[in-house]
Amino acid sequence: MSRQVLCLASLLFLASANAIKTHFVFWNTTNPIFRLDNTDNVIDVNEGNLPWEYDQLNLICPQNSAEQHVIYSVSQEEYDSCRVNNQRPKIVAICNKPETFQYFTITFRNFSPTPGGLEFKPGQNYYLISTSTRRDLHRRVGGFCSSHNMKMMFKVADNQRN
């Protein structure tokens, strides 16, 4: 009987591991997800996950390119207007070393072990934008968000309601 329990536990572990997803996003202007006619910049996360399972996002910075970005976590209003209004905005990533491979990982959990870290509440939407330009990395209005639709929305599933 213990062999059956061990086998069942292994199957449950494997089944739950399959629910966790890692999303890879190349954050550059040539990525087709940022085209205006595309909705791939809206990503559903944590769908079907158990309470202790969290999807992840790897933001991969441009490499061997003149492109550089500051990626901000913003409100829906800031997302819609491509304008960072907050005096102390939440910076998710700074892609300013195009000569080296650089990426940033975001875990979509509802708590952060790091003080001031990102937290993602179930049933809520979260937004990332880059308002940088080729001449001004720290610009907070327009920039690549306006010219190349460099913005993403994440819809965090509320698995408690299912």
Side-chain angles (χ1 to χ4, degrees):
M1 181 111 158
S2 64
R3 179 181 264 173
Q4 291 172 330
V5 171
L6 181 61
C7 186
L8 180 61
S10 296
L11 286 174
L12 286 173
F13 174 76
L14 289 173
S16 68
N18 288 337
I20 301 169
K21 291 175 227 53
T22 302
H23 306 272
F24 295 88
V25 173
F26 289 86
W27 195 274
N28 59 56
T29 56
T30 60
N31 188 335
I33 70 165
F34 295 117
R35 287 190 357 214
L36 285 174
D37 63 343
N38 199 340
T39 58
D40 288 343
N41 64 338
V42 178
I43 298 178
D44 295 311
V45 295
N46 293 347
E47 273 190 316
N49 290 4
L50 295 172
W52 58 86
E53 297 175 331
Y54 309 106
D55 289 359
Q56 289 189 321
L57 168 72
N58 287 322
L59 284 173
I60 302 162
C61 295
Q63 191 175 4
N64 300 323
S65 163
E67 249 180 84
Q68 297 185 40
H69 297 276
V70 174
I71 303 169
Y72 298 98
S73 177
V74 296
S75 68
Q76 182 178 359
E77 178 186 334
E78 292 170 307
Y79 174 88
D80 291 337
S81 66
C82 287
R83 175 182 296 268
V84 180
N85 296 322
N86 191 331
Q87 294 290 54
R88 298 185 63 182
K90 186 148 303 235
I91 296 174
V92 173
I94 299 177
C95 296
N96 63 349
K97 296 179 181 144
E99 68 284 350
T100 60
F101 179 73
Q102 201 178 11
Y103 73 97
F104 298 87
T105 301
I106 297 171
T107 302
F108 293 97
R109 60 180 157 225
N110 60 0
F111 66 92
S112 174
T114 308
L118 295 173
E119 296 183 344
F120 300 90
K121 302 299 180 197
Q124 301 293 312
N125 296 335
Y126 294 88
Y127 307 91
L128 300 181
I129 66 172
S130 174
T131 50
S132 302
T133 66
R134 291 198 188 277
R135 291 184 175 200
D136 186 357
L137 178 64
H138 298 283
R139 182 178 178 89
R140 293 193 184 185
V141 178
F144 289 122
C145 180
S146 293
S147 66
H148 289 83
N149 201 40
M150 299 285 295
K151 54 186 181 177
M152 295 192 77
M153 178 192 320
F154 298 93
K155 297 181 174 190
V156 181
D158 188 354
N159 293 319
Q160 300 296 330
R161 293 188 180 177
N162 297 338

